[in-house]
Short mmCIF file of all heavy atoms in Angstrom, two decimals:
data_model
loop_
_atom_site.label_atom_id
_atom_site.label_comp_id
_atom_site.label_asym_id
_atom_site.label_seq_id
_atom_site.Cartn_x
_atom_site.Cartn_y
_atom_site.Cartn_z
N ALA Z 17 9.85 -5.65 10.21
CA ALA Z 17 9.23 -5.57 8.91
C ALA Z 17 8.72 -4.12 8.72
O ALA Z 17 7.73 -3.72 9.30
CB ALA Z 17 8.08 -6.57 8.82
N PHE Z 18 9.52 -3.39 8.05
CA PHE Z 18 9.11 -1.97 7.78
C PHE Z 18 9.26 -1.69 6.31
O PHE Z 18 10.34 -1.93 5.73
CB PHE Z 18 10.05 -1.03 8.55
CG PHE Z 18 9.70 0.40 8.39
CD1 PHE Z 18 8.71 0.94 9.10
CD2 PHE Z 18 10.39 1.16 7.46
CE1 PHE Z 18 8.43 2.30 8.97
CE2 PHE Z 18 10.07 2.50 7.28
CZ PHE Z 18 9.10 3.07 8.03
N PRO Z 19 8.27 -1.16 5.66
CA PRO Z 19 6.87 -1.00 6.09
C PRO Z 19 6.18 -2.35 6.02
O PRO Z 19 6.66 -3.29 5.39
CB PRO Z 19 6.34 -0.03 5.17
CG PRO Z 19 7.14 -0.15 3.89
CD PRO Z 19 8.47 -0.56 4.35
N SER Z 20 4.98 -2.39 6.50
CA SER Z 20 4.19 -3.65 6.53
C SER Z 20 3.70 -3.95 5.13
O SER Z 20 2.95 -3.20 4.56
CB SER Z 20 3.03 -3.50 7.45
OG SER Z 20 2.16 -4.62 7.34
N VAL Z 21 4.10 -5.09 4.58
CA VAL Z 21 3.66 -5.53 3.24
C VAL Z 21 2.17 -5.88 3.25
O VAL Z 21 1.47 -5.59 2.35
CB VAL Z 21 4.55 -6.71 2.75
CG1 VAL Z 21 4.04 -7.17 1.43
CG2 VAL Z 21 5.98 -6.27 2.61
N HIS Z 22 1.74 -6.52 4.36
CA HIS Z 22 0.31 -6.90 4.47
C HIS Z 22 -0.60 -5.67 4.42
O HIS Z 22 -1.58 -5.63 3.65
CB HIS Z 22 0.04 -7.65 5.76
CG HIS Z 22 0.78 -8.95 5.82
ND1 HIS Z 22 1.95 -9.08 6.50
CD2 HIS Z 22 0.45 -10.15 5.30
CE1 HIS Z 22 2.34 -10.34 6.39
NE2 HIS Z 22 1.46 -11.02 5.64
N VAL Z 23 -0.22 -4.62 5.11
CA VAL Z 23 -1.03 -3.41 5.10
C VAL Z 23 -0.91 -2.71 3.74
O VAL Z 23 -1.83 -2.21 3.22
CB VAL Z 23 -0.54 -2.45 6.25
CG1 VAL Z 23 -1.19 -1.06 6.14
CG2 VAL Z 23 -0.85 -3.02 7.58
N GLY Z 24 0.28 -2.79 3.16
CA GLY Z 24 0.51 -2.19 1.84
C GLY Z 24 -0.41 -2.83 0.75
O GLY Z 24 -1.03 -2.15 -0.04
N LEU Z 25 -0.49 -4.16 0.80
CA LEU Z 25 -1.38 -4.83 -0.18
C LEU Z 25 -2.83 -4.56 0.04
O LEU Z 25 -3.60 -4.30 -0.93
CB LEU Z 25 -1.10 -6.34 -0.16
CG LEU Z 25 0.23 -6.84 -0.70
CD1 LEU Z 25 0.43 -8.33 -0.34
CD2 LEU Z 25 0.36 -6.52 -2.13
N ILE Z 26 -3.23 -4.45 1.28
CA ILE Z 26 -4.66 -4.21 1.57
C ILE Z 26 -4.92 -2.74 1.23
O ILE Z 26 -6.00 -2.41 0.68
CB ILE Z 26 -4.96 -4.47 3.05
CG1 ILE Z 26 -4.86 -5.97 3.26
CG2 ILE Z 26 -6.28 -3.97 3.49
CD1 ILE Z 26 -4.80 -6.42 4.75
N ALA Z 27 -3.98 -1.81 1.46
CA ALA Z 27 -4.16 -0.41 1.18
C ALA Z 27 -4.27 -0.23 -0.36
O ALA Z 27 -5.04 0.56 -0.86
CB ALA Z 27 -3.04 0.41 1.73
N LEU Z 28 -3.42 -0.99 -1.12
CA LEU Z 28 -3.53 -0.89 -2.55
C LEU Z 28 -4.89 -1.26 -3.08
O LEU Z 28 -5.47 -0.57 -3.92
CB LEU Z 28 -2.45 -1.76 -3.17
CG LEU Z 28 -2.25 -1.67 -4.69
CD1 LEU Z 28 -1.92 -0.27 -5.14
CD2 LEU Z 28 -1.20 -2.66 -5.15
N ASN Z 29 -5.41 -2.36 -2.50
CA ASN Z 29 -6.79 -2.79 -2.89
C ASN Z 29 -7.80 -1.71 -2.51
O ASN Z 29 -8.76 -1.46 -3.21
CB ASN Z 29 -7.16 -4.09 -2.18
CG ASN Z 29 -6.49 -5.23 -2.90
OD1 ASN Z 29 -6.34 -5.26 -4.09
ND2 ASN Z 29 -5.97 -6.18 -2.09
N ALA Z 30 -7.60 -1.01 -1.36
CA ALA Z 30 -8.51 0.03 -0.90
C ALA Z 30 -8.44 1.23 -1.87
O ALA Z 30 -9.51 1.85 -2.22
CB ALA Z 30 -8.13 0.53 0.47
N PHE Z 31 -7.29 1.60 -2.34
CA PHE Z 31 -7.19 2.73 -3.36
C PHE Z 31 -7.97 2.35 -4.59
O PHE Z 31 -8.65 3.12 -5.17
CB PHE Z 31 -5.73 3.04 -3.63
CG PHE Z 31 -5.08 3.90 -2.57
CD1 PHE Z 31 -4.07 3.32 -1.77
CD2 PHE Z 31 -5.50 5.18 -2.32
CE1 PHE Z 31 -3.44 4.09 -0.82
CE2 PHE Z 31 -4.88 5.95 -1.35
CZ PHE Z 31 -3.87 5.37 -0.60
N PHE Z 32 -7.77 1.09 -5.05
CA PHE Z 32 -8.51 0.66 -6.29
C PHE Z 32 -10.02 0.60 -6.03
O PHE Z 32 -10.83 1.06 -6.82
CB PHE Z 32 -8.04 -0.63 -6.78
CG PHE Z 32 -6.67 -0.61 -7.37
CD1 PHE Z 32 -5.75 -1.61 -7.05
CD2 PHE Z 32 -6.28 0.39 -8.21
CE1 PHE Z 32 -4.45 -1.56 -7.61
CE2 PHE Z 32 -5.03 0.43 -8.75
CZ PHE Z 32 -4.09 -0.51 -8.45
N ALA Z 33 -10.45 0.15 -4.85
CA ALA Z 33 -11.83 0.07 -4.55
C ALA Z 33 -12.44 1.48 -4.44
O ALA Z 33 -13.61 1.74 -4.84
CB ALA Z 33 -12.08 -0.63 -3.22
N ALA Z 34 -11.68 2.44 -3.91
CA ALA Z 34 -12.20 3.83 -3.81
C ALA Z 34 -12.40 4.42 -5.19
O ALA Z 34 -13.22 5.27 -5.40
CB ALA Z 34 -11.26 4.65 -3.02
N GLU Z 35 -11.63 4.01 -6.21
CA GLU Z 35 -11.85 4.50 -7.53
C GLU Z 35 -13.10 3.95 -8.17
O GLU Z 35 -13.75 4.59 -8.97
CB GLU Z 35 -10.60 4.11 -8.45
CG GLU Z 35 -9.41 4.92 -8.21
CD GLU Z 35 -8.29 4.59 -9.16
OE1 GLU Z 35 -8.52 3.87 -10.16
OE2 GLU Z 35 -7.15 5.02 -8.92
N VAL Z 36 -13.44 2.75 -7.76
CA VAL Z 36 -14.68 2.11 -8.33
C VAL Z 36 -15.90 2.71 -7.72
O VAL Z 36 -16.85 3.04 -8.42
CB VAL Z 36 -14.64 0.57 -8.08
CG1 VAL Z 36 -15.92 -0.08 -8.46
CG2 VAL Z 36 -13.47 -0.04 -8.79
N SER Z 37 -15.90 2.87 -6.35
CA SER Z 37 -17.05 3.38 -5.69
C SER Z 37 -16.66 3.97 -4.35
O SER Z 37 -15.77 3.44 -3.65
CB SER Z 37 -18.04 2.18 -5.41
OG SER Z 37 -18.93 2.41 -4.37
N ARG Z 38 -17.25 5.06 -4.01
CA ARG Z 38 -16.99 5.72 -2.72
C ARG Z 38 -17.31 4.85 -1.56
O ARG Z 38 -16.57 4.69 -0.63
CB ARG Z 38 -17.77 7.01 -2.65
CG ARG Z 38 -17.54 7.83 -1.41
CD ARG Z 38 -18.33 9.11 -1.43
NE ARG Z 38 -18.26 9.81 -0.18
CZ ARG Z 38 -17.41 10.80 0.06
NH1 ARG Z 38 -16.58 11.17 -0.90
NH2 ARG Z 38 -17.37 11.38 1.19
N ARG Z 39 -18.48 4.10 -1.68
CA ARG Z 39 -18.84 3.18 -0.59
C ARG Z 39 -17.90 2.07 -0.38
O ARG Z 39 -17.50 1.69 0.67
CB ARG Z 39 -20.26 2.67 -0.96
CG ARG Z 39 -20.90 1.86 0.13
CD ARG Z 39 -22.32 1.57 -0.22
NE ARG Z 39 -22.69 0.32 0.46
CZ ARG Z 39 -23.42 -0.61 -0.07
NH1 ARG Z 39 -23.94 -0.39 -1.28
NH2 ARG Z 39 -23.59 -1.70 0.58
N LEU Z 40 -17.46 1.46 -1.50
CA LEU Z 40 -16.44 0.38 -1.45
C LEU Z 40 -15.14 0.95 -0.88
O LEU Z 40 -14.47 0.21 -0.10
CB LEU Z 40 -16.17 -0.17 -2.86
CG LEU Z 40 -17.17 -1.18 -3.40
CD1 LEU Z 40 -16.78 -1.56 -4.81
CD2 LEU Z 40 -17.26 -2.39 -2.50
N GLY Z 41 -14.77 2.16 -1.25
CA GLY Z 41 -13.57 2.76 -0.69
C GLY Z 41 -13.65 2.94 0.84
O GLY Z 41 -12.64 2.64 1.54
N ILE Z 42 -14.80 3.36 1.30
CA ILE Z 42 -14.95 3.52 2.76
C ILE Z 42 -14.85 2.18 3.46
O ILE Z 42 -14.16 2.05 4.51
CB ILE Z 42 -16.33 4.19 3.09
CG1 ILE Z 42 -16.25 5.66 2.62
CG2 ILE Z 42 -16.64 4.11 4.56
CD1 ILE Z 42 -17.57 6.36 2.66
N ILE Z 43 -15.45 1.20 2.92
CA ILE Z 43 -15.43 -0.20 3.48
C ILE Z 43 -13.95 -0.67 3.48
O ILE Z 43 -13.44 -1.24 4.48
CB ILE Z 43 -16.34 -1.14 2.68
CG1 ILE Z 43 -17.80 -0.78 3.00
CG2 ILE Z 43 -16.12 -2.62 3.16
CD1 ILE Z 43 -18.78 -1.41 2.13
N ALA Z 44 -13.27 -0.53 2.31
CA ALA Z 44 -11.96 -1.02 2.18
C ALA Z 44 -10.95 -0.26 3.09
O ALA Z 44 -10.05 -0.94 3.69
CB ALA Z 44 -11.48 -0.92 0.72
N PHE Z 45 -11.06 1.04 3.22
CA PHE Z 45 -10.11 1.71 4.09
C PHE Z 45 -10.44 1.48 5.60
O PHE Z 45 -9.58 1.50 6.42
CB PHE Z 45 -10.18 3.22 3.79
CG PHE Z 45 -9.27 3.60 2.65
CD1 PHE Z 45 -9.76 3.99 1.43
CD2 PHE Z 45 -7.91 3.51 2.79
CE1 PHE Z 45 -8.97 4.36 0.35
CE2 PHE Z 45 -7.02 3.85 1.77
CZ PHE Z 45 -7.61 4.26 0.55
N SER Z 46 -11.73 1.11 5.85
CA SER Z 46 -12.05 0.74 7.19
C SER Z 46 -11.39 -0.57 7.60
O SER Z 46 -10.84 -0.77 8.68
CB SER Z 46 -13.59 0.61 7.42
OG SER Z 46 -14.18 1.85 7.19
N TYR Z 47 -11.39 -1.47 6.62
CA TYR Z 47 -10.74 -2.76 6.81
C TYR Z 47 -9.18 -2.56 6.96
O TYR Z 47 -8.52 -3.25 7.73
CB TYR Z 47 -11.04 -3.70 5.68
CG TYR Z 47 -10.39 -5.05 5.85
CD1 TYR Z 47 -10.78 -5.91 6.86
CD2 TYR Z 47 -9.42 -5.50 5.00
CE1 TYR Z 47 -10.15 -7.12 7.05
CE2 TYR Z 47 -8.80 -6.74 5.14
CZ TYR Z 47 -9.17 -7.54 6.20
OH TYR Z 47 -8.54 -8.78 6.36
N THR Z 48 -8.65 -1.64 6.17
CA THR Z 48 -7.24 -1.31 6.28
C THR Z 48 -6.89 -0.80 7.62
O THR Z 48 -5.87 -1.22 8.23
CB THR Z 48 -6.84 -0.27 5.19
OG1 THR Z 48 -7.17 -0.80 3.91
CG2 THR Z 48 -5.34 0.03 5.24
N ALA Z 49 -7.76 0.09 8.17
CA ALA Z 49 -7.51 0.56 9.52
C ALA Z 49 -7.60 -0.55 10.62
O ALA Z 49 -6.79 -0.62 11.50
CB ALA Z 49 -8.49 1.69 9.92
N PHE Z 50 -8.53 -1.49 10.39
CA PHE Z 50 -8.60 -2.63 11.25
C PHE Z 50 -7.41 -3.50 11.23
O PHE Z 50 -6.85 -3.92 12.26
CB PHE Z 50 -9.84 -3.51 10.87
CG PHE Z 50 -9.87 -4.83 11.60
CD1 PHE Z 50 -10.24 -4.92 12.90
CD2 PHE Z 50 -9.60 -5.98 10.90
CE1 PHE Z 50 -10.27 -6.12 13.56
CE2 PHE Z 50 -9.58 -7.19 11.48
CZ PHE Z 50 -9.98 -7.26 12.85
N VAL Z 51 -6.80 -3.68 10.00
CA VAL Z 51 -5.59 -4.49 9.88
C VAL Z 51 -4.43 -3.82 10.58
O VAL Z 51 -3.61 -4.46 11.24
CB VAL Z 51 -5.27 -4.80 8.42
CG1 VAL Z 51 -3.95 -5.46 8.25
CG2 VAL Z 51 -6.37 -5.78 7.84
N ILE Z 52 -4.31 -2.48 10.37
CA ILE Z 52 -3.24 -1.77 11.07
C ILE Z 52 -3.40 -1.89 12.59
O ILE Z 52 -2.40 -2.19 13.27
CB ILE Z 52 -3.23 -0.26 10.65
CG1 ILE Z 52 -2.81 -0.12 9.18
CG2 ILE Z 52 -2.29 0.52 11.52
CD1 ILE Z 52 -3.02 1.31 8.59
N ALA Z 53 -4.57 -1.67 13.06
CA ALA Z 53 -4.81 -1.72 14.50
C ALA Z 53 -4.51 -3.15 15.07
O ALA Z 53 -3.87 -3.29 16.11
CB ALA Z 53 -6.19 -1.31 14.83
N SER Z 54 -5.02 -4.14 14.33
CA SER Z 54 -4.82 -5.48 14.83
C SER Z 54 -3.27 -5.90 14.78
O SER Z 54 -2.85 -6.61 15.62
CB SER Z 54 -5.68 -6.50 14.09
OG SER Z 54 -5.35 -6.59 12.70
N SER Z 55 -2.60 -5.46 13.69
CA SER Z 55 -1.17 -5.85 13.66
C SER Z 55 -0.37 -5.20 14.76
O SER Z 55 0.61 -5.80 15.24
CB SER Z 55 -0.61 -5.50 12.28
OG SER Z 55 -0.50 -4.10 12.08
N VAL Z 56 -0.79 -4.00 15.19
CA VAL Z 56 -0.12 -3.37 16.36
C VAL Z 56 -0.51 -4.01 17.63
O VAL Z 56 0.33 -4.37 18.48
CB VAL Z 56 -0.46 -1.84 16.36
CG1 VAL Z 56 0.06 -1.18 17.67
CG2 VAL Z 56 0.14 -1.10 15.18
N TYR Z 57 -1.81 -4.28 17.75
CA TYR Z 57 -2.36 -4.91 19.00
C TYR Z 57 -1.67 -6.30 19.19
O TYR Z 57 -1.31 -6.68 20.28
CB TYR Z 57 -3.82 -5.02 18.94
CG TYR Z 57 -4.45 -5.71 20.12
CD1 TYR Z 57 -4.52 -5.03 21.36
CD2 TYR Z 57 -4.93 -7.04 20.08
CE1 TYR Z 57 -5.04 -5.63 22.50
CE2 TYR Z 57 -5.44 -7.66 21.20
CZ TYR Z 57 -5.52 -6.98 22.37
OH TYR Z 57 -6.04 -7.58 23.48
N LEU Z 58 -1.57 -7.07 18.16
CA LEU Z 58 -0.97 -8.41 18.24
C LEU Z 58 0.50 -8.40 18.31
O LEU Z 58 1.13 -9.46 18.51
CB LEU Z 58 -1.48 -9.27 17.05
CG LEU Z 58 -3.00 -9.56 17.01
CD1 LEU Z 58 -3.36 -10.25 15.73
CD2 LEU Z 58 -3.37 -10.37 18.22
N GLY Z 59 1.13 -7.26 18.13
CA GLY Z 59 2.58 -7.13 18.34
C GLY Z 59 3.37 -7.47 17.06
O GLY Z 59 4.61 -7.67 17.17
N TRP Z 60 2.81 -7.57 15.96
CA TRP Z 60 3.54 -7.87 14.71
C TRP Z 60 4.19 -6.67 14.16
O TRP Z 60 5.23 -6.81 13.43
CB TRP Z 60 2.63 -8.48 13.68
CG TRP Z 60 2.20 -9.90 14.07
CD1 TRP Z 60 0.97 -10.30 14.55
CD2 TRP Z 60 3.01 -11.09 14.07
NE1 TRP Z 60 0.97 -11.59 14.83
CE2 TRP Z 60 2.20 -12.16 14.57
CE3 TRP Z 60 4.34 -11.34 13.69
CZ2 TRP Z 60 2.70 -13.43 14.65
CZ3 TRP Z 60 4.76 -12.64 13.83
CH2 TRP Z 60 3.97 -13.65 14.31
N HIS Z 61 3.66 -5.52 14.36
CA HIS Z 61 4.20 -4.25 13.76
C HIS Z 61 4.07 -3.11 14.78
O HIS Z 61 3.18 -3.15 15.63
CB HIS Z 61 3.45 -3.86 12.49
CG HIS Z 61 3.72 -4.76 11.32
ND1 HIS Z 61 4.88 -4.80 10.65
CD2 HIS Z 61 2.98 -5.72 10.78
CE1 HIS Z 61 4.84 -5.68 9.68
NE2 HIS Z 61 3.71 -6.24 9.77
N TYR Z 62 4.84 -2.10 14.56
CA TYR Z 62 4.60 -0.80 15.22
C TYR Z 62 3.59 -0.08 14.40
O TYR Z 62 3.45 -0.33 13.18
CB TYR Z 62 5.87 -0.01 15.34
CG TYR Z 62 6.89 -0.62 16.28
CD1 TYR Z 62 8.08 -1.18 15.76
CD2 TYR Z 62 6.68 -0.66 17.64
CE1 TYR Z 62 8.99 -1.74 16.64
CE2 TYR Z 62 7.62 -1.24 18.50
CZ TYR Z 62 8.78 -1.78 17.99
OH TYR Z 62 9.67 -2.32 18.83
N ALA Z 63 2.97 0.91 14.93
CA ALA Z 63 2.00 1.69 14.14
C ALA Z 63 2.62 2.35 13.00
O ALA Z 63 1.99 2.43 11.91
CB ALA Z 63 1.27 2.71 15.06
N ILE Z 64 3.82 2.86 13.16
CA ILE Z 64 4.48 3.56 12.03
C ILE Z 64 4.71 2.68 10.82
O ILE Z 64 4.72 3.19 9.69
CB ILE Z 64 5.88 4.18 12.54
CG1 ILE Z 64 6.47 5.14 11.51
CG2 ILE Z 64 6.89 3.07 12.82
CD1 ILE Z 64 5.66 6.38 11.39
N ASP Z 65 4.80 1.38 11.02
CA ASP Z 65 4.93 0.43 9.90
C ASP Z 65 3.67 0.54 8.98
O ASP Z 65 3.81 0.55 7.77
CB ASP Z 65 5.08 -1.00 10.40
CG ASP Z 65 6.33 -1.21 11.22
OD1 ASP Z 65 7.21 -0.35 11.20
OD2 ASP Z 65 6.39 -2.25 11.89
N GLY Z 66 2.53 0.58 9.58
CA GLY Z 66 1.31 0.66 8.82
C GLY Z 66 1.15 1.99 8.13
O GLY Z 66 0.72 2.13 7.00
N TYR Z 67 1.46 3.06 8.90
CA TYR Z 67 1.38 4.37 8.30
C TYR Z 67 2.36 4.55 7.17
O TYR Z 67 1.98 5.21 6.12
CB TYR Z 67 1.75 5.47 9.38
CG TYR Z 67 0.87 5.39 10.61
CD1 TYR Z 67 1.41 5.87 11.86
CD2 TYR Z 67 -0.46 4.95 10.58
CE1 TYR Z 67 0.63 5.82 12.98
CE2 TYR Z 67 -1.13 4.87 11.73
CZ TYR Z 67 -0.66 5.32 12.94
OH TYR Z 67 -1.43 5.28 14.09
N ALA Z 68 3.54 4.01 7.28
CA ALA Z 68 4.53 4.09 6.17
C ALA Z 68 4.00 3.34 4.97
O ALA Z 68 4.20 3.80 3.79
CB ALA Z 68 5.85 3.60 6.65
N SER Z 69 3.39 2.20 5.19
CA SER Z 69 2.85 1.45 4.10
C SER Z 69 1.78 2.23 3.36
O SER Z 69 1.72 2.27 2.11
CB SER Z 69 2.19 0.12 4.56
OG SER Z 69 3.18 -0.71 5.12
N LEU Z 70 0.83 2.83 4.08
CA LEU Z 70 -0.14 3.70 3.50
C LEU Z 70 0.48 4.84 2.67
O LEU Z 70 0.02 5.11 1.54
CB LEU Z 70 -1.12 4.32 4.55
CG LEU Z 70 -2.16 3.40 5.15
CD1 LEU Z 70 -2.85 4.11 6.27
CD2 LEU Z 70 -3.14 2.99 4.04
N LEU Z 71 1.49 5.43 3.24
CA LEU Z 71 2.12 6.54 2.56
C LEU Z 71 2.82 6.08 1.28
O LEU Z 71 2.62 6.67 0.17
CB LEU Z 71 3.18 7.19 3.45
CG LEU Z 71 3.93 8.37 2.88
CD1 LEU Z 71 2.96 9.54 2.57
CD2 LEU Z 71 5.03 8.81 3.82
N VAL Z 72 3.61 4.99 1.33
CA VAL Z 72 4.29 4.52 0.16
C VAL Z 72 3.33 4.03 -0.94
O VAL Z 72 3.48 4.44 -2.09
CB VAL Z 72 5.28 3.35 0.56
CG1 VAL Z 72 5.80 2.61 -0.65
CG2 VAL Z 72 6.43 3.88 1.46
N VAL Z 73 2.34 3.26 -0.53
CA VAL Z 73 1.36 2.79 -1.53
C VAL Z 73 0.55 3.91 -2.09
O VAL Z 73 0.32 4.01 -3.32
CB VAL Z 73 0.48 1.69 -0.92
CG1 VAL Z 73 -0.68 1.39 -1.82
CG2 VAL Z 73 1.26 0.44 -0.61
N GLY Z 74 0.16 4.90 -1.24
CA GLY Z 74 -0.61 6.04 -1.76
C GLY Z 74 0.20 6.88 -2.74
O GLY Z 74 -0.30 7.26 -3.75
#
Side-chain angles (χ1 to χ4, degrees):
F18 180 83
S20 171
V21 176
H22 296 97
V23 172
L25 290 173
I26 293 166
L28 185 60
N29 286 320
F31 283 112
F32 289 137
E35 285 185 10
V36 172
S37 159
R38 181 179 174 96
R39 187 171 152 220
L40 281 176
I42 291 169
I43 292 168
F45 278 109
S46 297
Y47 181 67
T48 304
F50 169 75
V51 170
I52 291 171
S54 63
S55 69
V56 171
Y57 178 76
L58 295 172
W60 290 104
H61 290 284
Y62 294 110
I64 192 71
D65 298 343
Y67 304 151
S69 294
L70 282 173
L71 180 67
V72 168
V73 169

